[in-house]
Structures are given as C-alpha cells and as structure tokens.
Amino acid sequence: QLQLQESGPGLVKPSETLSLTCTVSDDSISSNIYYWGWIRQPPEKGLEWIGSIYYSGSTYYNPSLKSRVTISVDTSKNQFSLKLSSVTAADTAVYYCARGVPFSSLDYFDYWGQGTLVTVSS
Amino acid sequence: EIVMTQSPATLSVSPGERATLSCRASQSVTSNLAWYQQKPGQAPRLLIYGASTRATGIPARFSGSGSGTEFTLTISSLQSEDFAVYYCQQYNYWLTFGGGTKVEVK
C-alpha cells in the first residue's frame, strides 16, 4: 500500500527557510496520473493547502503563500520537497505530504503522510 | 479565494444517532468537494470525493450530498470510532478547506 513519509528539521529559526522532503513508497512518483501536495495544520487549527507538483515538475501554489514557496520533485529518489522561505512563528504547524488525485478539476488527497511538526522559534 | 464554512463547529451526538454536518462554499464549486475525517494525532482520512462518492473502504453509513454551494455529510448511525473532526475541501478553484466540525459524544 502506498506510504508517504515526511522528513526534515523540527525546529527552524525565524527568517530562515523551512525544508521538508516527502519519500513515497510502493508507488512511483512518476505516475502520469497523480499530483503530490503539501498541506499544513497549525496547532489546534484547520488545514491549509500549500501547493502541489506533477512528476514533470509542473507546480501550482496557494496564492497566499506563493511568494515564499518552492516545491520540487526528484523522480530518481521517488521524493518531492517543500521549501518555505522567511518563516515566522505563524508558520509553526504540522506539515503533511499527500497524493493528489485530479478529478474533474483539481485534486483531492487520498493518501497522506503521518505529518511532521515544524516549530519556528529562535 | 473560495471560502468554505462548516457548521456547526461542534456537534454533540449519542452513539447510534444520526449526524448531519454542513459545508457551504462562498461561490459554486459544482461537485468538486471532498470530506475528510481526522482523529487526534493522525493525518486526515479521505471519506468522500465528488461530493457523494465514498472513497475505498469507507463504510456505507457515511454519505455525502449537495452541489454548487451547499453540501452535507451524513453519518447514519454513529459508531464510537466516528467521533472525530471532519473537514470539507473544495478543489474547483485552487484548493481550500473548511474550518472543521468536531463530532463529540453527547
């Protein structure tokens, strides 16, 4: 069964860049069907989509975060990555990676990683 | 941005009873709506997509309905494992989630 696993630092200093990687197991990230996305959830709050990427490298980002977000893919490692620059305490959240299923228009998410907490603090 | 508003914020229900959760979009999303269940410390789990299609392995007691701007998730007879937070997500124009409805034991 498909598994996704987030990895990266759990603590990032303000103004620095948050970097996370999602490793996909038991499925090829090069599938020409799916997108691969990042979603975050601040403590005790709701979900916010950050952005998504296709295996070819085509991306689309949440307009509210677009200026600070870069998502990339490494098909040789079956991984995709998130970089969020100029972080503040407001970026403290559990970050999830997930598989996006394009349906009719854009994507819903059918498989999710377990999530990783990233805290922004000096 | 399409704003998704879920109501109520908290729903108190007894086991075995029916639960009805609402999700409203600020503009039409046609049927491009999904529902997720999230338990404490866990990732969200896909329940419904296309407003009314159950995802693989989801019990028949979960059903979704609606189109345009008004959507409903119904749990016909609440089981102990159904007490959780439920989120709707539209994928018609960018991707946005509702604020969630917590279903708690009455």
Side-chain angles (χ1 to χ4, degrees):
Chain A
Q1 181 172 339
L2 176 68
Q3 293 188 351
L4 298 95
Q5 179 67 58
E6 305 89 351
S7 59
L11 181 64
V12 181
K13 290 183 168 56
S15 80
E16 295 189 344
T17 296
L18 178 160
S19 296
L20 295 174
T21 295
C22 181
T23 300
V24 180
S25 303
D26 294 336
D27 192 17
S28 173
I29 205 168
S30 298
S31 162
N32 62 356
I33 299 174
Y34 303 110
Y35 275 77
W36 303 91
W38 289 97
I39 302 99
R40 69 180 182 178
Q41 185 172 35
E44 306 303 320
K45 293 189 178 180
L47 299 161
E48 180 180 37
W49 168 69
I50 299 170
S52 298
I53 190 165
Y54 195 51
Y55 80 98
S56 63
S58 173
T59 54
Y60 65 113
Y61 299 137
N62 185 327
S64 69
L65 297 169
K66 184 176 181 179
S67 64
R68 298 195 292 131
V69 174
T70 302
I71 297 176
S72 59
V73 64
D74 186 338
T75 55
S76 67
K77 295 181 179 179
N78 227 35
Q79 295 176 335
F80 62 106
S81 298
L82 168 69
K83 291 188 185 299
L84 181 66
S85 64
S86 304
V87 297
T88 69
D91 295 309
T92 294
V94 175
Y95 285 76
Y96 295 101
C97 59
R99 187 175 80 172
V101 183
F103 186 82
S104 173
S105 183
L106 297 174
D107 314 330
Y108 60 86
F109 299 102
D110 63 346
Y111 284 93
W112 295 63
Q114 65 185 27
T116 188
L117 174 63
V118 179
T119 301
V120 179
S121 175
S122 55
Chain B
E1 175 185 329
I2 297 178
V3 177
M4 306 301 292
T5 302
Q6 292 187 242
S7 61
T10 303
L11 185 62
S12 298
V13 186
S14 299
E17 289 187 341
R18 183 186 195 91
T20 302
L21 289 66
S22 295
C23 175
R24 174 177 293 178
S26 59
Q27 62 190 76
S28 176
V29 299
T30 65
S31 294
N32 294 319
L33 185 106
W35 288 94
Y36 301 86
Q37 175 194 69
Q38 187 179 34
K39 297 179 180 179
Q42 296 185 16
R45 172 195 180 197
L46 176 67
L47 298 175
I48 301 283
Y49 62 91
S52 61
T53 302
R54 276 190 303 277
T56 302
I58 301 303
R61 65 180 181 272
F62 291 92
S63 64
S65 63
S67 65
T69 62
E70 300 283 344
F71 300 88
T72 300
L73 175 69
T74 301
I75 311 170
S76 60
S77 177
L78 269 162
Q79 307 298 302
S80 58
E81 61 268 29
D82 301 336
F83 292 98
V85 179
Y86 293 82
Y87 293 96
C88 60
Q89 177 225 331
Q90 67 82 20
Y91 49 94
N92 193 64
Y93 181 72
W94 302 115
L95 309 180
T96 51
F97 291 87
T101 291
K102 181 180 181 180
V103 177
E104 64 175 22
V105 179
K106 186 174 182 180

